């Protein structure tokens, strides 16, 4: 799409009803910086940019192209809490900050890049002042820099970050005189909202969820600190590593049982939740991309979908039994991936257990990503995935804790538990993570052994 | 059969040397490539390639090796059902993850 086309669309800007994802987000709205509408609720990612200098002025113009192309980057939620709607604003310049690292030998640059990412994660971005994306460019030298992309989470989800980076690299190359492929057509976020309401549902899927979640209660975990203590909401992140040999063995067990790595991670995670709570009929959840099976892969916005995963572990005699049941759970759930609000309508009791004064919900995700950006021109963009240090202050999660376990390209597993600091003490989260690691090791080394159900 | 997908091996090379020259990515082992014979095998190979975003898929290439996950698997099954007028489930793709195995399963 050319900039002229995007400007033409912007002229038609206006208002739209909330998407179901935005309604889901609104459920957690308790106000404050750490809430869904707060300035600490953002998605952030870093890329190493090598191969030549990056011109900040061109980068600024390229980012403006991207803001013009994707309405979500200039769409805010307006109106009173009981009558909210989307307001699409005209394109406006986005903030690009430029910094220079002190002279740093190559071997120390990755560590400095991680420090930079953590520092930027202590900053903020407004949900009300468009555009809802900004960039920091930090230079090591004229052939090596770090580019950090931050977007408000109401406008940008994890997959959107990758779309924005690809588009930004394309526009930068075009503006520096390279011949570039035309970017694919990108349906706007409000079209996604309309699709969610009109076409995403299915009678079969609704029936499935009504039967499958009949009487189900989310398996909540006990918090350290009651909600009623009224501590200000903040979010922290604990990181832990899973050795490469354990990750390789997990992959082998997954493969021999014809499952994905995600299913193996979910099996391990369910056993952790079982040990923490004593519950055998485990109800957890994950986030799917929520992109209509590919219809909205190119769309920027908040599209992810919260999908419950219920597995009864009763009678599982081995880790592999747990894995096979988890496979069944996941394939059924993902085949019936309709918007969360429609799932909740079929199981209105589901989340009550997680909203009491001293309980909360934890969620697991594990999304394999290709770190190499499809970028024309001279520059190479590679996502920084090797982030290994814990953070006292991170971007917000809506409630409870979000677990993310991924295999780094080096082969090591990197786990990140992002948690509400006003609900959990760091030691509690660290001991949960250590237990996850122990279960992972046992699962990978003796898949036929008893999973040790309580 | 390796536990890492080819895509991940490539990513590992890039992560270790962000500024190095890389070979062209080849998402299937060329020595092991076995071309499709029948129109149905050709269709299956083409749909595997489309759903998984790879350039070429042979009869023995495995869905999981090619970066297959539940969600792109569901897409692939939908594409196959539409193209061939079938009613396969995602479970069947997971149980018969190569084109050759799936083709044989469809036959029987």
């Amino acid at each position: 799409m050319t900039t002229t086309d995007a400007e033409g669309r912007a002229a038609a800007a206006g208002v739209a009803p909330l998407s179901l994802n935005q309604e889901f987000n609104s459920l957690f709205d308790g106000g404050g910086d750490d809430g869904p509408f707060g300035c600490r609720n953002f998605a952030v990612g870093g890329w190493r940019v090598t191969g030549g200098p990056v011109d900040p002025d061109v980068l600024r113009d390229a980012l403006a192209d991207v803001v013009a192309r994707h309405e979500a980057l200039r769409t805010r939620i307006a109106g009173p809490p009981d009558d909210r709607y989307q307001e699409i604003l005209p394109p406006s310049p986005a903030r690009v900050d430029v910094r220079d690292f002190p002279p740093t030998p190559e071997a120390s640059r990755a560590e400095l890049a991680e420090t930079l990412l953590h520092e930027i994660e202590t900053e903020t971005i407004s949900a009300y002042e468009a555009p809802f994306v900004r960039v920091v460019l930090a230079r090591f030298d004229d052939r090596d820099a770090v580019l950090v992309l931050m977007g408000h989470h109401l406008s940008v989800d994890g997959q959107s970050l990758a779309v924005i980076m690809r588009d930004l690299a394309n526009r930068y190359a075009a503006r520096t005189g390279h011949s570039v492929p035309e970017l694919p057509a990108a349906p706007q976020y409000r079209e996604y909202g309309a699709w969610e309401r009109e076409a995403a549902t299915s009678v079969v899927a609704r029936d499935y969820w009504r039967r499958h979640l009949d009487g189900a209660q989310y398996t909540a975990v006990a918090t350290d600190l009651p909600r009623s203590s009224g501590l200000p909401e903040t979010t922290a992140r604990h990181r832990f590593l899973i050795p490469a040999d354990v990750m390789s063995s997990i992959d082998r067990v997954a493969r021999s049982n014809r499952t994905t790595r995600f299913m193996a991670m979910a099996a391990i995670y369910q056993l952790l939740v079982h040990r923490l709570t004593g519950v055998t009929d485990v109800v957890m959840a994950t986030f799917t991309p929520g992109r209509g099976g590919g219809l909205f892969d190119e769309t920027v916005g908040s599209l992810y979908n919260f999908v419950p995963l219920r597995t009864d572990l009763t009678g599982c005699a081995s880790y592999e039994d747990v894995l096979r049941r988890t496979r069944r759970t996941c394939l059924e759930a993902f085949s019936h991936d309709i918007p969360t609000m429609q799932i909740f309508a079929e199981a209105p009791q589901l989340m009550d257990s997680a909203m009491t004064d001293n309980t909360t919900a934890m969620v697991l995700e594990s999304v394999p990503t290709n770190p190499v950006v499809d970028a024309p021109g001279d520059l190479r963009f590679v996502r920084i995935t090797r982030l290994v240090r814990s953070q006292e202050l991170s971007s917000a999660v809506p409630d409870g804790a979000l677990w993310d376990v991924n295999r780094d390209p080096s082969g090591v597993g990197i786990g990140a538990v992002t948690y509400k600091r006003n609900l959990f003490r760091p030691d509690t989260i660290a001991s949960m993570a250590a237990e996850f690691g122990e279960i992972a090791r046992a699962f990978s080394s003796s898949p036929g052994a008893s999973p040790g159900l309580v | 059969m390796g536990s890492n997908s080819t895509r991940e091996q490539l990513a590992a090379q890039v992560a270790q040397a962000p500024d190095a020259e890389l070979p062209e990515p080849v998402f299937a082992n060329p020595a092991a490539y076995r071309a499709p014979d029948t129109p149905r095998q050709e269709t299956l190979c083409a749909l595997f390639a489309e759903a998984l975003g790879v350039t070429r898929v042979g009869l023995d290439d495995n869905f999981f090796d090619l970066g297959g996950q539940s969600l792109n698997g569901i897409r692939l099954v939908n594409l196959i059902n539409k193209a061939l007028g079938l009613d396969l489930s995602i479970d069947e793709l997971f149980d018969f993850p190569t084109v050759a195995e799936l083709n044989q399963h469809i036959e029987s």
Side-chain angles (χ1 to χ4, degrees):
Chain A
M1 185 200 291
T2 66
T3 310
T4 317
D5 286 343
E7 282 165 0
R9 275 193 196 197
V15 299
L18 291 191
S19 70
L20 293 179
N21 173 289
Q22 290 168 327
E23 285 188 11
F24 171 76
N25 265 290
S26 302
L27 294 178
F28 299 96
D29 179 24
D33 290 352
D34 228 49
F37 297 87
C39 59
R40 302 222 20 90
N41 182 30
F42 50 77
V44 65
W47 285 263
R48 194 79 174 264
V49 190
T50 54
V54 182
D55 182 328
D57 292 328
V58 178
L59 186 63
R60 220 167 257 123
D61 291 342
L63 186 58
D65 291 343
V66 177
V67 170
R69 174 173 157 85
H70 297 289
E71 279 181 3
L73 298 177
R74 45 193 167 80
T75 298
R76 67 183 168 197
I77 296 181
D82 59 346
D83 191 22
R84 288 180 165 131
Y85 58 93
Q86 299 188 67
E87 181 184 20
I88 299 125
L89 304 166
S92 55
R95 179 175 155 193
V96 175
D97 295 338
V98 180
R99 307 179 188 182
D100 285 304
F101 287 111
T104 309
E106 171 61 39
S108 306
R109 291 184 177 184
E111 200 179 337
L112 237 66
E114 179 168 4
T115 303
L116 172 79
L117 272 161
H118 292 344
E119 274 172 23
I120 291 170
E121 223 177 312
T122 66
E123 297 177 3
T124 61
I125 188 166
S126 168
Y128 301 100
E129 288 166 41
F132 303 107
V133 65
R134 68 184 183 90
V135 161
V136 177
L137 178 71
R139 299 179 287 206
F140 287 113
D141 57 41
D142 64 3
R143 291 183 58 81
D144 188 2
V146 173
L147 189 155
V148 183
L149 197 57
M150 180 195 280
H152 198 280
H153 214 331
L154 291 173
S155 302
V156 175
D157 63 8
Q159 190 167 329
S160 298
L161 275 180
V163 172
I164 293 169
M165 188 64 250
R166 195 261 336 255
D167 289 0
L168 184 58
N170 179 290
R171 298 314 304 155
Y172 185 90
R175 285 182 170 278
T176 47
H178 293 90
S179 125
V180 301
E182 195 172 340
L183 290 170
Q188 297 296 351
Y189 187 69
R190 58 175 143 174
E191 295 168 47
Y192 173 73
W195 171 85
E196 266 191 308
R197 285 172 191 285
E198 290 156 19
T201 196
S202 86
V203 174
V204 172
R206 284 189 170 236
D207 282 351
Y208 167 78
W209 289 112
R210 188 165 57 249
R211 279 183 284 108
H212 184 66
L213 296 178
D214 185 30
Q217 293 275 320
Y218 200 91
T219 310
V221 297
T223 60
D224 294 318
L225 307 155
R227 295 177 193 275
S228 57
S229 59
L231 294 167
E233 286 188 27
T234 67
T235 301
R237 182 172 297 131
H238 173 79
R239 281 204 174 85
F240 62 102
L241 299 180
I242 299 174
D245 64 314
V246 174
M247 289 302 287
S248 298
S249 299
I250 289 173
D251 281 353
R252 274 197 295 276
V253 175
R255 174 59 64 85
S256 68
N257 285 278
R258 302 212 154 157
T259 71
T260 62
R261 183 186 301 145
F262 173 82
M263 292 169 186
M265 291 299 163
I268 293 164
Y269 176 82
Q270 285 171 153
L271 285 167
L272 171 70
V273 170
H274 166 73
R275 289 191 193 174
L276 292 172
T277 62
V279 171
T280 311
D281 182 6
V282 175
V283 184
M284 56 168 283
T286 193
F287 293 110
T288 65
R291 289 172 177 259
L295 288 174
F296 295 95
D297 274 353
E298 297 294 338
T299 298
V300 166
S302 185
L303 295 89
Y304 66 83
N305 202 43
F306 174 96
V307 177
L309 299 173
R310 180 184 193 180
T311 309
D312 189 350
L313 305 177
T314 307
C316 282
S318 67
Y319 288 106
E320 281 176 314
D321 281 351
V322 176
L323 179 58
R324 284 189 282 266
R325 280 196 205 175
T326 306
R327 173 181 135 158
R328 171 111 310 279
T329 299
C330 290
L331 291 181
E332 282 183 8
F334 297 151
S335 299
H336 299 98
D337 184 11
I338 57 173
T340 311
M341 296 302 279
Q342 295 172 352
I343 298 175
F344 284 176
E346 302 303 332
Q349 81 295 339
L350 183 69
M351 300 310 294
D352 291 349
S353 53
M355 303 303 275
T356 74
D357 194 31
N358 54 8
T359 60
T360 190
M362 302 200 302
V363 175
L364 171 76
E365 64 180 3
S366 174
V367 185
T369 51
N370 177 2
V372 185
V373 178
D374 181 13
D378 301 332
L379 299 177
R380 175 179 290 165
F381 298 77
V382 180
R383 180 82 183 248
I384 298 171
T385 53
R386 198 176 164 77
L387 300 167
V388 296
R389 302 205 298 266
S390 295
Q391 296 162 258
E392 285 181 20
L393 185 60
S394 77
S395 56
V397 288
D399 195 49
L402 173 61
W403 288 65
D404 187 317
V405 187
N406 263 302
R407 183 182 175 284
D408 184 68
S410 66
V412 170
I414 301 180
V417 191
T418 309
Y419 63 98
K420 282 290 197 209
R421 185 70 183 81
N422 49 298
L423 298 180
F424 290 110
R425 293 195 183 93
D427 288 356
T428 302
I429 296 293
S431 77
M432 285 183 197
E435 186 147 10
F436 184 98
E438 282 166 28
I439 298 169
R441 183 174 286 283
F443 173 100
S444 66
S445 64
S446 320
S450 164
L453 298 183
V454 179
Chain B
M1 194 165 290
S3 59
N4 305 338
S5 73
T6 313
R7 204 178 276 269
E8 286 182 335
Q9 289 166 18
L10 188 71
Q13 290 177 42
V14 172
Q16 280 155 24
D19 204 14
E21 282 305 312
L22 284 177
E24 281 297 301
V26 177
F27 289 116
N29 177 0
Y33 177 74
R34 201 152 64 88
D37 285 327
T38 68
R40 186 168 63 209
Q41 288 173 347
E42 278 172 21
T43 303
L44 289 172
C45 286
L47 296 178
F48 267 61
E50 180 185 340
L52 300 172
V54 298
T55 46
R56 187 180 72 172
V57 172
L59 289 176
D60 298 317
D61 287 323
N62 185 299
F63 168 76
F64 295 107
D65 278 335
L66 296 167
Q69 300 287 329
S70 304
L71 296 167
N72 51 17
I74 290 167
R75 282 184 203 187
L76 174 54
V77 167
N78 288 339
L79 289 172
I80 293 170
N81 286 341
K82 205 170 155 191
L84 299 176
L86 298 169
D87 192 23
L88 292 177
S89 71
I90 179 69
D91 290 82
E92 291 168 286
L93 172 64
F94 271 50
D95 286 335
F96 304 98
T98 68
V99 170
E101 287 172 310
L102 193 62
N103 183 60
Q104 198 167 32
H105 173 66
I106 294 168
E107 255 169 37
S108 58

